[in-house]
Amino acid sequence: VNITAGNSRICMNILYTVMAKFTAGSLGVVCGLFGGAVTNLGSPEQKDSWYLPDLEFTGMFAMTERSHGSNVRGILTEARYEPSTQEFIIHTPCDDAQKMYIGNAMKGNYASVFAQLIINGESHGPHCFIVPIRDQSGVMNPGVTAIDMKHKEGLHGVDNGILIFDNVRIPRKNLLSKFGCVSTDGVYSSPIQSKGKRFNAMLAALTPTRLGLSVQAMASMKLGLIIAVRYSHSRRQFGPKDQEEVKIIEHQTQYLRLMPHLAAALALTFTTRFAGCMMDDALCKGEVLQNNSSLQALVAGLKAYSTWENLACLQECRECTGGMGFMMENRIPALKCDSDVFVTFEGDNVVMLQVVVKELMTQYTRQLGNSVGGGLIKTWASSMSDSFRTSFLGFNVDTVGDLSFLLKALSYRERVLQRTLAARLYAKVQKNKEEFFHAWNSCLHHVTGLPLPTVIHICQLLLHSFCLLHGTSLVYQERAWYLEHHYLTPTTSRQIRTQLCRSVKDVALKVVSDFNVPSCCIQAPIAGVANPQAEWAFHPLPQYPIAASKL
């Protein structure tokens, strides 16, 4: 089952069968994480054997440890090969090596376990192994301990737990062998000779799950916006003296808070499709994802941007629906709780931004070329061009309302941050002889400010008004930076967003209808979905034709 976000080819009868057996959260672990590990790291034979044969077992994904999350290279779980029995011995050598936050830990049958592959005392780096955890009757396998992690903020459909291994033996064939295998007599071989490149290839193979997380965050945003926008078009409060109260969507504070997030949801819709198509094309052509560093960087940045934007959006939706938005029956609190973990799940967002910046720095170095003199000239020319642009060009509201201006503004910020970061790193490493880790660490605040304009550049030029609104919102968020660099005037900064928010508020209800989310998935009384248990009347919503588009 291919569940990437682009030209997905999903066999629906299999999907519905799976959904009948698993909760939504558990389904993501089984298909996206366990299944993704088998599909992307296993041999063709292993894919046939382990990827949900007849849906007879529940899978888990065991990468994170107590002391290692984002730094997978440093995991401590061991997998020692024993030639005499042709088995791997999976072992947790200390408390810090315990596998934590493992979905389906209290009911799963098999786990894809990442461990350091050790042969004759030599480590070959992290590899992935299929380890039996319990049989179909729920009886634990010898040497395996599972501990429930109890209560969480959200995602209660997944039972997260801790896995501990005490010299658990598994057959040699249980090593997922796409990037490395071991012969019967204990000889290691891999199509990638460099240990570092081999490790990067293994992590790159898991890129689709990060894209899937971006799609989940986007879906959560859309559901929250459907509820908040519908409520804003039905709830009335305040108005002219002796006249009927007006819909709260007419209040400036309401549409200024909601409309930028609606524009962001549309931008993410097209951007995730774009990234999904790129990934599908690469996989269909048989390309290896680790060779496509630009795609990896895009997905990493998209994951960070979408999950942060999701949290900001849901908080605004909660506040814009008042006390009703605080009620669990209206879904927004549950959405917040379930998606809060996305910012650290599948890679902490700050780490994801560093993946993007490293790719940008690689591209920047490539553009400058091998000549130091030529690189200095190019840098100087770029700097002078930007200085000229901000010193002599004037800006007005009409200019701000032009899409080309907004794209140039984002490009300008990206270019300046990229150039100045490169200069800082060069000074620290080349001139001051600092170790690269310390130089990079001292620039992390600079680093985290660079990637988001790059990710946003991918937004397609569709739905013109919302595209303009999204662009102006992004520039407005960084207006202090643009003012400091004389790219905006104070007058432009004050007027940059209000007019566009006002222009799109009247079509917002139709846009959220075009998301085509079924009523059974909304289930929020304040969104007009009837709840037979509700004791209060809800004003009927105005009727809008539902377009055939699939936003």
Side-chain angles (χ1 to χ4, degrees), residues 224-515:
L225 286 165
I226 289 171
I227 297 168
V229 169
R230 286 188 173 187
Y231 180 73
S232 298
H233 274 271
S234 63
R235 172 86 154 126
R236 293 179 178 271
Q237 185 128 284
F238 303 111
K241 186 177 180 180
D242 299 327
Q243 295 184 32
E244 185 181 12
E245 292 182 309
V246 301
K247 298 175 182 178
I248 59 176
I249 193 63
E250 300 296 335
H251 293 289
Q252 187 184 63
T253 50
Q254 192 80 352
Y255 63 71
L256 280 178
R257 297 174 77 177
L258 291 177
M259 294 305 100
H261 293 298
L262 183 55
L266 294 174
L268 283 169
T269 297
F270 300 119
T271 311
T272 52
R273 288 181 183 179
F274 175 81
C277 288
M278 286 181 62
M279 188 174 298
D280 276 350
D281 289 344
L283 294 174
C284 289
K285 294 176 182 177
E287 297 176 3
V288 184
L289 290 181
Q290 78 267 17
N291 294 333
N292 196 336
S293 57
S294 61
L295 176 59
Q296 293 179 54
L298 170 61
V299 172
L302 189 58
K303 184 266 179 187
Y305 176 65
S306 63
T307 54
W308 269 328
E309 173 61 26
N310 170 57
L311 289 188
C313 172
L314 292 177
Q315 181 61 29
E316 295 280 26
C317 289
R318 211 299 292 159
E319 294 181 25
C320 286
T321 50
M324 289 299 181
F326 193 67
M327 305 304 294
M328 290 299 291
E329 70 172 356
N330 288 317
R331 301 292 304 283
I332 295 176
L335 290 172
K336 288 177 58 183
C337 290
D338 284 348
S339 57
D340 188 291
V341 72
F342 289 176
V343 298
T344 50
F345 183 54
E346 286 295 305
D348 179 86
N349 279 0
V350 174
V351 177
M352 294 296 96
L353 295 185
Q354 294 181 58
V355 173
V356 181
V357 174
K358 287 180 179 179
E359 172 62 15
L360 291 176
M361 288 294 98
T362 300
Q363 294 177 5
Y364 182 75
T365 304
R366 191 179 299 126
Q367 291 170 2
L368 294 180
N370 297 325
S371 171
V372 176
L376 291 175
I377 293 174
K378 290 180 180 179
T379 301
W380 178 84
S382 174
S383 179
M384 289 300 100
S385 174
D386 287 332
S387 297
F388 177 84
R389 183 188 306 273
T390 56
S391 297
F392 292 92
L393 293 184
F395 304 101
N396 54 50
V397 176
D398 292 335
T399 303
V400 170
D402 181 76
L403 187 59
S404 63
F405 167 81
L406 297 170
L407 292 174
K408 288 177 181 178
L410 293 173
S411 178
Y412 167 75
R413 184 167 187 267
E414 175 189 335
R415 194 165 55 249
V416 172
L417 290 173
Q418 190 177 42
R419 185 171 61 240
T420 52
L421 176 59
R424 289 184 65 188
L425 291 173
Y426 177 82
K428 289 175 177 291
V429 176
Q430 298 297 327
K431 293 184 178 180
N432 300 336
K433 306 301 180 182
E434 288 187 28
E435 204 277 335
F436 182 80
F437 171 81
H438 297 298
W440 182 268
N441 192 48
S442 66
C443 296
L444 275 183
H445 182 72
H446 195 153
V447 166
T448 56
L450 174 56
L452 294 186
T454 304
V455 175
I456 294 154
H457 260 150
I458 307 300
C459 175
Q460 303 295 295
L461 307 183
L462 300 174
L463 295 178
H464 189 76
S465 295
F466 280 99
C467 193
L468 284 174
L469 173 56
H470 187 49
T472 53
S473 177
L474 295 167
V475 173
Y476 185 78
Q477 289 172 20
E478 299 293 341
R479 61 192 181 279
W481 187 94
Y482 284 106
L483 287 168
E484 289 175 355
H485 288 74
H486 308 293
Y487 203 92
L488 294 178
T489 66
T491 301
T492 303
S493 178
R494 285 192 296 270
Q495 299 178 358
I496 193 171
R497 193 175 59 161
T498 305
Q499 183 176 355
L500 283 169
C501 283
R502 186 186 305 120
S503 68
V504 300
K505 67 178 175 60
D506 295 328
V507 298
L509 193 59
K510 184 176 186 305
V511 171
V512 297
S513 295
D514 287 344
F515 287 158

Side-chain angles (χ1 to χ4, degrees), residues 22-267:
F22 304 109
T23 65
S26 179
L27 175 65
V29 176
V30 174
C31 295
L33 295 176
F34 177 86
V38 173
T39 300
N40 296 308
L41 300 178
S43 66
E45 296 76 19
Q46 289 173 323
K47 295 176 188 179
D48 293 338
S49 299
W50 293 109
Y51 191 63
L52 304 179
D54 301 323
L55 306 178
E56 291 179 351
F57 64 85
T58 301
M60 292 168 274
F61 183 80
M63 176 183 283
T64 300
E65 297 180 353
R66 185 180 295 274
S67 65
H68 289 90
S70 298
N71 183 19
V72 180
R73 195 188 302 268
I75 60 174
L76 301 174
T77 301
E78 299 174 346
R80 296 182 178 274
Y81 183 66
E82 186 177 85
S84 60
T85 60
Q86 296 186 29
E87 292 176 319
F88 290 103
I89 302 174
I90 309 298
H91 185 62
T92 304
C94 59
D95 289 346
D96 283 344
Q98 294 176 358
K99 297 293 184 182
M100 297 190 71
Y101 315 109
I102 311 304
N104 297 331
M106 304 314 295
K107 62 175 176 288
N109 306 111
Y110 291 89
S112 52
V113 177
F114 284 78
Q116 299 286 351
L117 172 57
I118 301 173
I119 304 174
N120 296 324
E122 179 184 358
S123 176
H124 294 272
H127 285 66
C128 189
F129 303 81
I130 302 299
V131 181
I133 303 299
R134 52 175 63 82
D135 63 22
Q136 295 296 322
S137 301
V139 178
M140 298 293 297
N141 284 2
V144 180
T145 300
I147 303 172
D148 192 354
M149 294 187 71
K150 303 298 181 182
H151 302 291
K152 302 175 295 182
E153 178 184 359
L155 280 184
H156 299 299
V158 180
D159 53 327
N160 292 87
I162 300 171
L163 292 180
I164 303 172
F165 305 101
D166 182 9
N167 295 304
V168 177
R169 292 177 173 270
I170 61 173
R172 184 174 62 91
K173 66 179 182 180
N174 283 29
L175 164 64
L176 296 182
S177 57
K178 180 176 181 178
F179 296 112
C181 61
V182 178
S183 66
T184 56
D185 55 352
V187 177
Y188 179 80
S189 62
S190 171
I192 305 175
Q193 297 305 311
S194 168
K195 183 185 293 188
K197 291 182 179 179
R198 184 165 62 243
F199 173 75
N200 290 336
M202 291 182 185
L203 292 190
L206 302 177
T207 299
T209 61
R210 286 178 181 161
L211 182 58
L213 198 60
S214 297
V215 174
Q216 289 184 60
M218 178 186 66
S220 183
M221 283 180 64
K222 288 182 175 181
L223 186 50
L225 286 165
I226 289 171
I227 297 168
V229 169
R230 286 188 173 187
Y231 180 73
S232 298
H233 274 271
S234 63
R235 172 86 154 126
R236 293 179 178 271
Q237 185 128 284
F238 303 111
K241 186 177 180 180
D242 299 327
Q243 295 184 32
E244 185 181 12
E245 292 182 309
V246 301
K247 298 175 182 178
I248 59 176
I249 193 63
E250 300 296 335
H251 293 289
Q252 187 184 63
T253 50
Q254 192 80 352
Y255 63 71
L256 280 178
R257 297 174 77 177
L258 291 177
M259 294 305 100
H261 293 298
L262 183 55
L266 294 174

